[in-house]
PDB file of all heavy atoms in Angstrom:
ATOM      1  N   ILE K1221      27.937  19.123 -16.595  1.00 86.00           N
ATOM      2  CA  ILE K1221      27.552  19.033 -18.003  1.00 86.00           C
ATOM      3  C   ILE K1221      26.950  20.364 -18.505  1.00 86.00           C
ATOM      4  O   ILE K1221      26.425  20.448 -19.609  1.00 86.00           O
ATOM      5  CB  ILE K1221      26.569  17.870 -18.236  1.00 86.00           C
ATOM      6  CG1 ILE K1221      26.594  17.409 -19.686  1.00 86.00           C
ATOM      7  CG2 ILE K1221      25.175  18.233 -17.778  1.00 86.00           C
ATOM      8  CD1 ILE K1221      25.877  16.113 -19.948  1.00 86.00           C
ATOM      9  N   LYS K1222      27.045  21.382 -17.664  1.00 80.00           N
ATOM     10  CA  LYS K1222      26.664  22.755 -18.041  1.00 80.00           C
ATOM     11  C   LYS K1222      25.199  22.853 -18.483  1.00 80.00           C
ATOM     12  O   LYS K1222      24.886  23.406 -19.523  1.00 80.00           O
ATOM     13  CB  LYS K1222      27.589  23.287 -19.131  1.00 80.00           C
ATOM     14  CG  LYS K1222      29.047  23.339 -18.711  1.00 80.00           C
ATOM     15  CD  LYS K1222      29.952  23.820 -19.829  1.00 80.00           C
ATOM     16  CE  LYS K1222      31.400  23.838 -19.375  1.00 80.00           C
ATOM     17  NZ  LYS K1222      32.318  24.269 -20.470  1.00 80.00           N
ATOM     18  N   ASN K1223      24.317  22.286 -17.676  1.00 77.00           N
ATOM     19  CA  ASN K1223      22.866  22.401 -17.859  1.00 77.00           C
ATOM     20  C   ASN K1223      22.318  21.683 -19.085  1.00 77.00           C
ATOM     21  O   ASN K1223      21.141  21.833 -19.405  1.00 77.00           O
ATOM     22  CB  ASN K1223      22.422  23.858 -17.891  1.00 77.00           C
ATOM     23  CG  ASN K1223      21.869  24.304 -16.553  1.00 77.00           C
ATOM     24  OD1 ASN K1223      21.685  23.499 -15.645  1.00 77.00           O
ATOM     25  ND2 ASN K1223      21.595  25.581 -16.425  1.00 77.00           N
ATOM     26  N   LYS K1224      23.129  20.905 -19.791  1.00 85.00           N
ATOM     27  CA  LYS K1224      22.558  20.056 -20.845  1.00 85.00           C
ATOM     28  C   LYS K1224      21.699  18.970 -20.202  1.00 85.00           C
ATOM     29  O   LYS K1224      20.732  18.498 -20.780  1.00 85.00           O
ATOM     30  CB  LYS K1224      23.670  19.445 -21.700  1.00 85.00           C
ATOM     31  CG  LYS K1224      24.437  20.475 -22.519  1.00 85.00           C
ATOM     32  CD  LYS K1224      25.541  19.818 -23.327  1.00 85.00           C
ATOM     33  CE  LYS K1224      26.322  20.865 -24.114  1.00 85.00           C
ATOM     34  NZ  LYS K1224      27.439  20.250 -24.879  1.00 85.00           N
ATOM     35  N   PHE K1225      22.103  18.569 -19.022  1.00 90.00           N
ATOM     36  CA  PHE K1225      21.275  17.738 -18.131  1.00 90.00           C
ATOM     37  C   PHE K1225      20.814  18.677 -17.040  1.00 90.00           C
ATOM     38  O   PHE K1225      21.623  19.227 -16.292  1.00 90.00           O
ATOM     39  CB  PHE K1225      22.118  16.599 -17.557  1.00 90.00           C
ATOM     40  CG  PHE K1225      21.400  15.724 -16.562  1.00 90.00           C
ATOM     41  CD1 PHE K1225      20.659  14.640 -16.986  1.00 90.00           C
ATOM     42  CD2 PHE K1225      21.466  15.998 -15.204  1.00 90.00           C
ATOM     43  CE1 PHE K1225      20.000  13.818 -16.065  1.00 90.00           C
ATOM     44  CE2 PHE K1225      20.813  15.193 -14.279  1.00 90.00           C
ATOM     45  CZ  PHE K1225      20.076  14.104 -14.714  1.00 90.00           C
ATOM     46  N   ASN K1226      19.497  18.937 -16.953  1.00 92.00           N
ATOM     47  CA  ASN K1226      19.023  20.002 -16.075  1.00 92.00           C
ATOM     48  C   ASN K1226      18.249  19.477 -14.871  1.00 92.00           C
ATOM     49  O   ASN K1226      18.144  18.268 -14.649  1.00 92.00           O
ATOM     50  CB  ASN K1226      18.190  21.012 -16.876  1.00 92.00           C
ATOM     51  CG  ASN K1226      17.004  20.348 -17.580  1.00 92.00           C
ATOM     52  OD1 ASN K1226      16.350  19.473 -17.022  1.00 92.00           O
ATOM     53  ND2 ASN K1226      16.735  20.764 -18.808  1.00 92.00           N
ATOM     54  N   PHE K1227      17.676  20.428 -14.125  1.00 93.00           N
ATOM     55  CA  PHE K1227      16.951  20.082 -12.896  1.00 93.00           C
ATOM     56  C   PHE K1227      15.741  19.205 -13.184  1.00 93.00           C
ATOM     57  O   PHE K1227      15.438  18.284 -12.419  1.00 93.00           O
ATOM     58  CB  PHE K1227      16.517  21.373 -12.198  1.00 93.00           C
ATOM     59  CG  PHE K1227      15.951  21.154 -10.827  1.00 93.00           C
ATOM     60  CD1 PHE K1227      16.777  20.927  -9.740  1.00 93.00           C
ATOM     61  CD2 PHE K1227      14.578  21.166 -10.614  1.00 93.00           C
ATOM     62  CE1 PHE K1227      16.251  20.723  -8.469  1.00 93.00           C
ATOM     63  CE2 PHE K1227      14.049  20.960  -9.353  1.00 93.00           C
ATOM     64  CZ  PHE K1227      14.893  20.739  -8.277  1.00 93.00           C
ATOM     65  N   ASP K1228      15.049  19.477 -14.289  1.00 94.00           N
ATOM     66  CA  ASP K1228      13.906  18.648 -14.666  1.00 94.00           C
ATOM     67  C   ASP K1228      14.333  17.213 -14.943  1.00 94.00           C
ATOM     68  O   ASP K1228      13.629  16.259 -14.582  1.00 94.00           O
ATOM     69  CB  ASP K1228      13.210  19.216 -15.902  1.00 94.00           C
ATOM     70  CG  ASP K1228      12.457  20.501 -15.598  1.00 94.00           C
ATOM     71  OD1 ASP K1228      12.182  20.751 -14.414  1.00 94.00           O
ATOM     72  OD2 ASP K1228      12.156  21.248 -16.539  1.00 94.00           O
ATOM     73  N   ASP K1229      15.486  17.043 -15.611  1.00 94.00           N
ATOM     74  CA  ASP K1229      15.996  15.704 -15.888  1.00 94.00           C
ATOM     75  C   ASP K1229      16.332  14.968 -14.597  1.00 94.00           C
ATOM     76  O   ASP K1229      16.047  13.772 -14.448  1.00 94.00           O
ATOM     77  CB  ASP K1229      17.244  15.783 -16.776  1.00 94.00           C
ATOM     78  CG  ASP K1229      16.951  16.379 -18.144  1.00 94.00           C
ATOM     79  OD1 ASP K1229      15.892  16.049 -18.709  1.00 94.00           O
ATOM     80  OD2 ASP K1229      17.760  17.170 -18.642  1.00 94.00           O
ATOM     81  N   ALA K1230      16.951  15.692 -13.656  1.00 95.00           N
ATOM     82  CA  ALA K1230      17.305  15.082 -12.373  1.00 95.00           C
ATOM     83  C   ALA K1230      16.050  14.648 -11.621  1.00 95.00           C
ATOM     84  O   ALA K1230      15.991  13.543 -11.064  1.00 95.00           O
ATOM     85  CB  ALA K1230      18.119  16.070 -11.534  1.00 95.00           C
ATOM     86  N   GLY K1231      15.032  15.510 -11.612  1.00 96.00           N
ATOM     87  CA  GLY K1231      13.781  15.163 -10.944  1.00 96.00           C
ATOM     88  C   GLY K1231      13.096  13.975 -11.591  1.00 96.00           C
ATOM     89  O   GLY K1231      12.547  13.102 -10.903  1.00 96.00           O
ATOM     90  N   PHE K1232      13.148  13.929 -12.920  1.00 96.00           N
ATOM     91  CA  PHE K1232      12.557  12.800 -13.645  1.00 96.00           C
ATOM     92  C   PHE K1232      13.240  11.488 -13.271  1.00 96.00           C
ATOM     93  O   PHE K1232      12.569  10.481 -13.007  1.00 96.00           O
ATOM     94  CB  PHE K1232      12.677  13.038 -15.157  1.00 96.00           C
ATOM     95  CG  PHE K1232      12.414  11.824 -15.991  1.00 96.00           C
ATOM     96  CD1 PHE K1232      11.124  11.414 -16.258  1.00 96.00           C
ATOM     97  CD2 PHE K1232      13.464  11.073 -16.512  1.00 96.00           C
ATOM     98  CE1 PHE K1232      10.874  10.274 -17.026  1.00 96.00           C
ATOM     99  CE2 PHE K1232      13.229   9.946 -17.276  1.00 96.00           C
ATOM    100  CZ  PHE K1232      11.927   9.555 -17.524  1.00 96.00           C
ATOM    101  N   LEU K1233      14.570  11.490 -13.254  1.00 96.00           N
ATOM    102  CA  LEU K1233      15.296  10.258 -12.935  1.00 96.00           C
ATOM    103  C   LEU K1233      15.047   9.824 -11.494  1.00 96.00           C
ATOM    104  O   LEU K1233      14.899   8.630 -11.215  1.00 96.00           O
ATOM    105  CB  LEU K1233      16.795  10.456 -13.166  1.00 96.00           C
ATOM    106  CG  LEU K1233      17.308  10.255 -14.591  1.00 96.00           C
ATOM    107  CD1 LEU K1233      18.818  10.408 -14.628  1.00 96.00           C
ATOM    108  CD2 LEU K1233      16.906   8.889 -15.137  1.00 96.00           C
ATOM    109  N   LEU K1234      15.010  10.779 -10.575  1.00 97.00           N
ATOM    110  CA  LEU K1234      14.779  10.441  -9.170  1.00 97.00           C
ATOM    111  C   LEU K1234      13.401   9.817  -8.982  1.00 97.00           C
ATOM    112  O   LEU K1234      13.265   8.748  -8.369  1.00 97.00           O
ATOM    113  CB  LEU K1234      14.904  11.693  -8.301  1.00 97.00           C
ATOM    114  CG  LEU K1234      14.589  11.507  -6.807  1.00 97.00           C
ATOM    115  CD1 LEU K1234      15.560  10.515  -6.174  1.00 97.00           C
ATOM    116  CD2 LEU K1234      14.639  12.852  -6.085  1.00 97.00           C
ATOM    117  N   LEU K1235      12.365  10.459  -9.531  1.00 96.00           N
ATOM    118  CA  LEU K1235      11.007   9.937  -9.381  1.00 96.00           C
ATOM    119  C   LEU K1235      10.847   8.599 -10.099  1.00 96.00           C
ATOM    120  O   LEU K1235      10.200   7.679  -9.578  1.00 96.00           O
ATOM    121  CB  LEU K1235       9.997  10.947  -9.922  1.00 96.00           C
ATOM    122  CG  LEU K1235       8.517  10.611  -9.709  1.00 96.00           C
ATOM    123  CD1 LEU K1235       8.214  10.414  -8.224  1.00 96.00           C
ATOM    124  CD2 LEU K1235       7.625  11.701 -10.290  1.00 96.00           C
ATOM    125  N   SER K1236      11.446   8.478 -11.283  1.00 96.00           N
ATOM    126  CA  SER K1236      11.363   7.221 -12.035  1.00 96.00           C
ATOM    127  C   SER K1236      12.009   6.085 -11.256  1.00 96.00           C
ATOM    128  O   SER K1236      11.454   4.977 -11.175  1.00 96.00           O
ATOM    129  CB  SER K1236      12.051   7.374 -13.396  1.00 96.00           C
ATOM    130  OG  SER K1236      11.392   8.317 -14.205  1.00 96.00           O
TER     131      SER K1236
END
Side-chain angles (χ1 to χ4, degrees):
I1221 203 168
K1222 300 178 181 178
N1223 261 352
K1224 293 179 181 178
F1225 177 87
N1226 57 40
F1227 189 79
D1228 289 341
D1229 297 320
F1232 166 80
L1233 276 183
L1234 176 62
L1235 186 57
S1236 296

